[in-house]
Amino acid sequence: MNPSTAGTRIGQPNTTAIFFFLLFVGITLAITYWAARKTKTTSEFFAAGGGISAAQNGFALAGDFMSAASFLGIAGLVATSGFDGLIYSVGWLVGWPVVTFLIAEPLRNLGKYTFADVVAYRLKQTPVRLSAAVGTLTVVVFYLIAQMVGAGNLIRLLFGLSYETAVVIVGAVMILYVLFGGMIATTWVQIVKAVLLLGGATALAGAVLYPFGFSPTALFREAANRYGPEALAPGKLVSNPLEAVSLGVALMFGTAGLPHILMRFYTVPDAKAARTSVFYATGLIGFFYLVTFILGFGASVLVGRQAIVGVDKGGNMAAPMLAEAVGGTGFLGFISAVSFATILAVVAGLTLSGAAALSHDLWSSVVRKGHAPEAEQLNVARISSLLLGILAILLGVLFKNQNVAFMVGLAFAIAASANFPALLLSMLWRGFTTRGAVASMLTGSISAVLLIFLSPTVQVDLLGNASALFPLKNPGIVTLPLSFVVGWVVSLLSPEAEASRRFAEVEHRMHVGAGVPPPVTVPTGVAGTVPPGVPEAPQKV
């Protein structure tokens, strides 16, 4: 069980990795060509025409959510920090029951393409959609930067290409997926990626457990023998309980506010399928995080913490180095290509959600007041996708060699603070108003950005200052309640009769869906009489 630290091919061109990468790109471009022939309307471009089954959408949701941060980051955190590395996987995973019971079904019944459809359903369209677009685009941009920089560093280490070349390749392929294939292509790319990632990670975990008689307990015992009992104890990564709670709040409720995840609920035919797809996704993601737990401890035992940190200080190369240790260069190449495919699929989903905010929320609903022709909406959507892809490439190159961990935290903090409170209040509270929604979303976005900038993550780790003005690395425990309170107070101070009146319509549609008329209340009066136009109830014989 000596760590295999010598002779790694990380950082050198890998023929197997390049072969698997080209194979994946070839398959997914063929899918894109097929999807492009089926993508003729905005409904097909943004929501695959609502024709994705619950099982397919479950795999696509899992593929959209299991990013490189999940695979490479969590495995690295567990390898270098022990059990504490699981705080991210637990935080992300427990967000899915929130999505299942509070978000999925109402979102599918009330919206069309974006979560802003739900918030603006009974409120004034222009201010609500403008505010929602600010939050959505901020989340998308910061998430895109993190993925693009991650892709550049991954390919630089694993494929032997330059950082800039890797970023351009990721951006170009992603633009092709979204520009021509829309949601249909993106969905199937995510399904293929989810199957590859789950299969590759499971095979790697099996190879890790084989020397230990397929006993995780024996693996943990070996880790404790090598690094001491503290390897299995909490507190090394997050020692402050308040910090742990704040991070957990952002991760859990941020999951329920991510625009590219929420958008997937419009791809299924009905609310039941939306709820069922979350059930599938939760099972797949939960299994995946259990596997990364094995990979992390396996890397710490079979590769060694010093070797992992020596290649990458953040530990992000733990899983590829483990693949090389247990399966040689060929397995390293396969896992490397799967990691790259992971980034491609997530970036495609992010770009599509950003394009929906630009074309559907801003252009069609705000600029054209809902009167944009179908062909015009589709053209604007494709132009938006192209511009976002180019922006992602430029930002990826611009942020080269920067610590982008705070960007992922910022994306989740904004999603939790700006999107989730407004979404929940609009569905559950009659008194929620346009001004309350705008104030809630803007407060969540601005406070999250401001407090992240004032946090130790930026002030100490990134800028090198001695201290920070805000003590917590993630502001979720402050910004999420603040967004709720601001939305509540502003709504009380600015009542809106029309929004309150239409709440009954929202409740009815939220529970039974569109196309089912609300029940008619028959006034009491002369027996046997009903209002004009209402059919009499059939008499029992």
Side-chain angles (χ1 to χ4, degrees):
M1 299 300 174
N2 293 326
S4 348
T5 58
T8 179
R9 287 183 56 83
I10 299 278
Q12 302 175 34
N14 187 310
T15 306
T16 311
I18 294 171
F19 168 77
F20 279 117
F21 165 68
L22 293 176
L23 179 64
F24 174 80
V25 171
I27 292 171
T28 51
L29 286 179
I31 291 172
T32 303
Y33 174 75
W34 163 77
R37 301 175 66 182
K38 297 169 67 71
T39 303
K40 305 297 182 185
T41 66
T42 49
S43 174
E44 290 164 345
F45 187 84
F46 287 132
I52 305 298
S53 72
Q56 291 167 348
N57 196 46
F59 272 90
L61 273 169
D64 214 351
F65 192 75
M66 296 185 302
S67 67
S70 297
F71 181 48
L72 302 176
I74 292 175
L77 283 174
V78 174
T80 55
S81 304
F83 272 102
D84 263 16
L86 288 175
I87 188 171
Y88 283 89
S89 58
V90 172
W92 281 326
L93 183 60
V94 297
W96 285 96
V98 176
V99 175
T100 304
F101 295 110
L102 291 180
I103 301 297
E105 195 168 339
L107 197 78
R108 177 63 185 82
N109 281 336
L110 286 170
K112 188 176 182 182
Y113 301 138
T114 67
F115 90 95
D117 291 336
V118 179
V119 181
Y121 189 89
R122 61 188 175 94
L123 305 178
K124 296 175 182 176
Q125 298 288 312
T126 298
V128 171
R129 289 189 183 275
L130 283 172
S131 304
V134 169
T136 295
L137 292 173
T138 306
V139 172
V140 167
V141 166
F142 279 98
Y143 223 124
L144 273 176
I145 292 173
Q147 296 296 321
M148 297 301 283
V149 174
N153 287 323
L154 180 71
I155 302 311
R156 178 176 59 83
L157 287 171
L158 298 176
F159 288 73
L161 300 174
S162 69
Y163 173 87
E164 290 78 9
T165 302
V167 169
V168 170
I169 290 173
V170 173
V173 177
M174 171 267 295
I175 288 172
L176 290 177
Y177 291 160
V178 178
L179 193 62
F180 296 106
M183 181 57 87
I184 300 174
T186 301
T187 295
W188 282 100
V189 167
Q190 287 160 347
I191 292 172
V192 171
K193 165 263 177 110
V195 172
L196 284 175
L197 186 58
L198 287 166
T202 303
L204 184 53
V208 167
L209 291 175
Y210 176 74
F212 299 96
F214 294 100
S215 170
T217 305
L219 173 64
F220 302 152
R221 190 180 301 116
E222 180 65 24
N225 292 337
R226 189 177 300 278
Y227 299 105
E230 63 272 11
L232 305 180
K236 186 174 181 181
L237 187 64
V238 183
S239 57
N240 182 351
L242 191 63
E243 185 81 68
V245 172
S246 188
L247 177 61
V249 165
L251 296 180
M252 181 169 68
F253 294 107
T255 300
L258 289 175
H260 63 296
I261 296 297
L262 298 177
M263 193 175 176
R264 292 224 55 88
F265 296 122
Y266 300 120
T267 64
V268 291
D270 53 42
K272 181 183 177 182
R275 189 174 62 249
T276 306
S277 66
V278 181
F279 175 79
Y280 284 119
T282 305
L284 294 170
I285 294 167
F287 172 76
F288 174 73
Y289 283 144
L290 287 175
V291 170
T292 57
F293 181 44
I294 300 296
L295 302 186
F297 275 104
S300 68
V301 171
L302 299 177
V303 179
R305 289 181 178 178
Q306 285 187 337
I308 293 169
V309 176
V311 170
D312 180 80
K313 289 184 179 179
N316 294 316
M317 292 299 106
M321 292 180 75
L322 178 63
E324 185 181 31
V326 299
T329 306
F331 204 13
L332 167 65
F334 175 71
I335 293 298
S336 303
V338 168
S339 303
F340 196 49
T342 295
I343 293 174
L344 276 175
V346 174
V347 166
L350 286 166
T351 303
L352 196 58
S353 65
L358 287 171
S359 81
H360 176 63
D361 291 336
L362 294 183
W363 179 261
S364 179
S365 300
V366 175
V367 177
R368 299 284 279 153
K369 305 296 183 186
H371 299 298
E374 184 80 18
E376 180 183 304
Q377 293 181 55
L378 194 56
N379 287 335
V380 172
R382 288 187 162 136
I383 292 170
S384 301
S385 303
L386 179 62
L387 293 177
L388 279 169
I390 294 171
L391 178 65
I393 293 171
L394 294 176
L395 290 174
V397 173
L398 182 65
F399 281 82
K400 178 183 179 181
N401 296 328
Q402 293 296 312
N403 179 354
V404 296
F406 76 96
M407 293 180 186
V408 176
L410 179 57
F412 269 85
I414 293 174
S417 306
N419 298 349
F420 177 70
L423 186 59
L424 198 63
L425 288 171
S426 67
M427 294 189 299
L428 301 181
W429 185 32
R430 181 185 301 274
F432 199 47
T433 66
T434 300
R435 289 182 180 179
V438 170
S440 175
M441 288 187 284
L442 292 182
T443 298
S445 300
I446 295 169
S447 64
V449 172
L450 179 62
L451 292 185
I452 283 279
F453 177 74
L454 297 177
S455 73
T457 304
V458 175
Q459 294 297 318
V460 178
D461 299 343
L462 201 63
L463 301 180
N465 296 329
S467 61
L469 294 176
F470 182 70
L472 301 177
K473 291 184 178 180
N474 194 294
I477 199 170
V478 174
T479 55
L480 179 67
L482 179 65
S483 183
F484 270 113
V485 169
V486 168
W488 174 62
V489 170
V490 173
S491 294
L492 290 178
L493 295 176
S494 57
E496 193 173 335
E498 177 66 12
S500 179
R501 184 185 65 79
R502 293 194 64 193
F503 183 71
E505 177 187 341
V506 168
E507 273 192 315
H508 175 75
R509 181 162 174 167
M510 186 169 65
H511 293 302
V512 302
V516 181
V520 177
T521 303
V522 179
T524 57
V526 181
T529 63
V530 294
V534 179
E536 293 190 26
Q539 299 294 318
K540 290 184 179 180
V541 178

